[in-house]
Amino acid sequence: MVAVPKHIAAEGPGTQEPDTTSPAAGEEYPGRHREYEGRHRTDPEGLSVWATAQSTGPVQRRGRYVPESVKHPARMLPAIAAHAIHAYTQPGGLVLDPMCGIGTTLVEAVHAGRDAFGIEYEPQWSNIADANIRHAHDQGATGRASVIRGDATRLMSLVPKALTGQVALVVTSPPYGPTVHGLVRPGEGGVVKYDDRYNDGEDKGNLAYRDLTGLADGFAQILRGCATLLRPGGVVVVTARPWRKRGELIDLPSAVIAAGLRAGLVPIERCVALLAAVRDGQLVARPSFFQLQQLRKARSSGVPMHLIAHEDVLIFAKGTSPEDGTEVVA
């Protein structure tokens, strides 16, 4: 396990000074996200559509992430994490990703002058996340970050108690089943898929190996821990999109909303993070090989399937009691 950043590695309960540098310290979340002047966004303040794929994922990661990062089968677009961080925090704020993978959220946080920590179950990905954090610091990133290896459904047993009520922003995404699109290369029998699994299949502890009900239950446990760690006015941002299993659409965004409600969180915004570029008023899709393959098969059989061009961005805050306005965590 890598230690959490120095300013949050307290000696015991009650020794941590409150962070007053993040937004809304002691205040309620003020509403829609603030204007973001960073390199990923060009649209005006207040829009619920995030133009996060103006460049491709590989272009966004080139030079900013170690080459091994490409092996993860479900990488978050760096621009999505960066947009959320700039929109919902200020420099010095503390960011958490409880399912951090290769550390995209952590890297974008430290480049933006925020501190961050993440939880990752799979050692392969946590090692790459560590390498990405070191690479970010080599490039001059000023924030501090670390990765804790463990099961995020047991979040509060992994994180120092001094962090309770200190996190300004959670940014994460649930897994999309045991196998995803991954990468492709030509083979003797046609196209071969590789790097398409979260692990080697031996360890079924990963949430990706659960059915939708089990995944939603596990994710609710994770969000419950996140709610405990949130500071007053803190925000949870979850990206999710539907996927197809044997032709049937699995509505993951709705399952995430239900999980958030069970965790004592309240949905406050629902935005769209584009997976397509905007050029001259038109969307330019960036589908994977397998998305195109599925689309062509479906249309040839008479099913009017369309490419997925966005991810849902589901934004939560802590719930409040209608009687006295106090925060409620289930």
Side-chain angles (χ1 to χ4, degrees), residues 303-316:
V303 177
M305 186 185 293
H306 296 274
L307 288 171
I308 294 175
H310 75 278
E311 289 196 4
D312 287 61
V313 184
L314 310 169
I315 302 164
F316 302 88

Side-chain angles (χ1 to χ4, degrees), residues 169-298:
L169 173 67
V170 175
V171 181
T172 197
S173 180
Y176 294 92
T179 180
V180 291
H181 290 157
L183 303 175
V184 296
R185 61 173 171 248
E188 292 183 0
V191 173
V192 177
K193 182 191 291 189
Y194 67 102
D195 286 339
D196 61 336
R197 295 182 178 274
Y198 289 94
N199 62 26
D200 59 12
E202 297 298 323
D203 184 354
K204 295 299 191 287
N206 195 308
L207 280 186
Y209 287 90
R210 300 186 186 182
D211 61 14
L212 183 60
T213 299
L215 169 60
D217 288 344
F219 200 60
Q221 288 179 267
I222 294 171
L223 292 179
R224 190 171 293 114
C226 291
T228 301
L229 294 171
L230 277 183
R231 66 177 304 130
V235 176
V236 176
V237 173
V238 182
T239 67
R241 64 175 182 258
W243 80 85
R244 293 187 183 274
K245 184 176 181 180
R246 292 189 287 273
E248 295 294 323
L249 194 67
I250 307 298
D251 187 1
L252 183 59
S254 292
V256 167
I257 292 173
L261 291 170
R262 292 202 303 276
L265 296 170
V266 175
I268 57 172
E269 291 187 62
R270 186 165 185 168
C271 299
V272 165
L274 290 180
L275 304 174
V278 180
R279 298 284 187 269
D280 299 323
Q282 302 293 320
L283 289 181
V284 179
R286 303 190 188 281
S288 71
F289 170 85
F290 292 103
Q291 285 175 314
L292 286 175
Q293 184 184 53
Q294 290 174 1
L295 179 68
R296 289 164 180 156
K297 286 181 178 179

Side-chain angles (χ1 to χ4, degrees), residues 116-182:
F117 69 104
I119 314 296
E120 176 50 42
Y121 183 81
E122 302 291 347
Q124 176 184 4
W125 310 130
S126 65
N127 289 338
I128 294 175
D130 284 337
N132 277 324
I133 292 168
R134 290 193 298 270
H135 185 60
H137 288 148
D138 289 343
Q139 293 182 318
T142 58
R144 293 168 290 186
S146 63
V147 181
I148 300 171
R149 293 158 180 81
D151 182 353
T153 62
R154 301 173 57 248
L155 185 60
M156 295 310 298
S157 69
L158 300 173
V159 175
K161 290 183 180 179
L163 291 184
T164 300
Q166 298 299 309
V167 172
L169 173 67
V170 175
V171 181
T172 197
S173 180
Y176 294 92
T179 180
V180 291
H181 290 157

Side-chain angles (χ1 to χ4, degrees), residues 11-24:
E11 297 177 355
T15 62
Q16 175 61 35
E17 289 296 324
D19 176 6
T20 58
T21 60
S22 297

